[in-house]
């Protein structure tokens, strides 16, 4: 399995980020990725060292056309991105993105030479009703397109109720979902994939979470905005 990955999702934040601080993050065992707002990609790519990859937070499924306000995967690539997050729950909720659209975005990302980070996760209601594994299985089947490989695709398990709330599933619950995801992917594609956990990952819980089997790093929102917190998480990833 590839190295572990600490991926920061800055969401619609970052203008006041300490870029000089991020530029000094050392090249360690854990791979680093920052996904800033797309307008910041070129400047971060030129200011950060090569061992810190840069990603987008979304892309359109088409390569070009009349899609006001959208950005294509190729545009992200040209701007300096190597990765793109697709299907984040905030986009699924606020923009009505479906699993089918997410799959098309992932394909568009590969066609542009980007690695897609496909996000899936259950609601609190799904979890309390015991539906988590069913919901995850359905989302995985429909959001991950045919032809996915462990080089073009990373999966982020992000329980929606854990994002930005300070709450996380138990370690056993995270382990159960990650192992189910890995089983489904290996049956479908004949390979093991890199799986990230996302949802209120912090310096205090990063070590325990990333020590779970089939957790290969984190997708980190709030705690990726301050370089000291991000660095502490990177240090804690085992
Ligand atoms: C996210 O938005 O992908 C995320 C995991 O956010 P946070 O770490 O703030 O919960």
């Amino acid at each position: 399995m590839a190295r572990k990955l600490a991926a920061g999702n800055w969401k619609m934040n970052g203008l006041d980020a300490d870029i000089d601080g991020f530029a000094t993050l050392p090249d360690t065992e854990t791979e680093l990725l920052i996904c800033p707002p797309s307008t910041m990609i070129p400047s971060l790519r030129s200011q950060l060292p090569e061992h810190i990859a840069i990603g987008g937070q979304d892309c359109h499924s088409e390569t070009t056309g009349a899609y006001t306000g959208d950005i294509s995967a190729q545009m992200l690539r040209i701007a300096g991105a190597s990765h793109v997050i697709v299907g984040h729950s905030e986009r699924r909720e606020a923009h009505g993105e479906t699993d089918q659209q997410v799959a098309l975005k992932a394909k568009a990302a590969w066609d542009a030479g980007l690695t897609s980070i496909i996000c899936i996760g259950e609601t609190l209601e799904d979890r309390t009703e015991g539906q988590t594994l069913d919901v995850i299985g359905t989302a995985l089947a429909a959001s991950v397109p045919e032809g996915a490989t462990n080089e073009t695709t990373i999966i982020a398990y992000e329980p929606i109720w854990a994002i930005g709330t300070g709450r996380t599933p138990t370690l056993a619950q995270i382990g159960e979902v990650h192992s189910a995801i890995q089983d489904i992917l290996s049956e479908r594609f004949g390979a093991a994939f890199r799986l990230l956990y996302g949802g209120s990952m912090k310096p205090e819980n990063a070590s325990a979470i990333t020590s779970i089997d089939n957790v290969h790093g984190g997708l980190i929102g709030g705690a990726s905005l301050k370089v000291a917190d991000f660095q502490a998480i990177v240090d804690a990833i085992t």
Side-chain angles (χ1 to χ4, degrees):
M1 183 51 68
R3 291 151 72 200
K4 292 209 170 164
L5 172 66
N9 172 17
W10 285 3
K11 314 192 188 200
M12 201 168 72
N13 301 293
L15 288 181
D16 56 357
D18 171 13
I19 305 300
D20 289 345
F22 280 93
T24 62
L25 286 170
D27 188 4
T28 59
E29 247 324 284
T30 298
E31 260 181 65
L32 304 178
L33 167 68
I34 304 279
C35 301
S38 49
T39 55
M40 295 178 69
I41 292 174
S43 65
L44 282 196
R45 183 60 290 155
S46 66
Q47 291 178 74
L48 299 186
E50 281 302 316
H51 70 268
I52 305 179
I54 308 294
Q57 299 175 9
D58 176 51
C59 66
H60 199 277
S61 54
E62 296 294 330
T63 51
T64 181
Y67 303 105
T68 303
D70 281 313
I71 188 159
S72 75
Q74 190 195 17
M75 290 169 182
L76 292 172
R77 175 84 186 168
I78 289 168
S82 53
H83 294 67
V84 62
I85 298 167
V86 292
H88 191 283
S89 63
E90 286 158 10
R91 294 209 55 90
R92 290 177 184 262
E93 274 172 20
H95 300 271
E97 288 184 8
T98 62
D99 288 331
Q100 290 67 27
Q101 285 169 322
V102 172
L104 292 172
K105 286 173 183 234
K107 259 171 149 332
W110 309 341
D111 290 344
L114 300 178
T115 298
S116 59
I117 301 178
I118 302 175
C119 302
I120 51 170
E122 83 283 5
T123 63
L124 190 55
E125 195 184 1
D126 296 330
R127 177 148 295 275
T128 47
E129 288 177 356
Q131 298 299 317
T132 299
L133 293 185
D134 286 345
V135 167
I136 292 294
T138 303
L140 203 56
S143 300
V144 181
E146 278 315 312
T149 72
N150 53 15
E151 294 194 347
T152 60
T153 307
I154 295 169
I155 306 297
Y157 166 54
E158 298 210 304
I160 296 167
W161 53 275
I163 295 179
T165 60
R167 302 176 61 193
T168 58
T170 64
L171 300 180
Q173 287 170 332
I174 295 172
E176 180 186 40
V177 174
H178 276 245
S179 117
I181 293 173
Q182 198 64 281
D183 286 349
I184 292 168
L185 293 174
S186 83
E187 185 157 324
R188 183 167 163 208
F189 298 108
F193 281 64
R194 231 170 171 191
L195 311 182
L196 306 181
Y197 168 80
S200 296
M201 189 179 272
K202 305 188 246 308
E204 303 80 59
N205 61 22
S207 172
I209 292 174
T210 58
S211 300
I212 300 170
D213 274 358
N214 290 305
V215 177
H216 308 112
L219 182 54
I220 305 139
S224 70
L225 284 164
K226 292 212 176 87
V227 67
D229 289 344
F230 192 60
Q231 170 81 72
I233 290 175
V234 173
D235 291 344
I237 289 180
T238 48

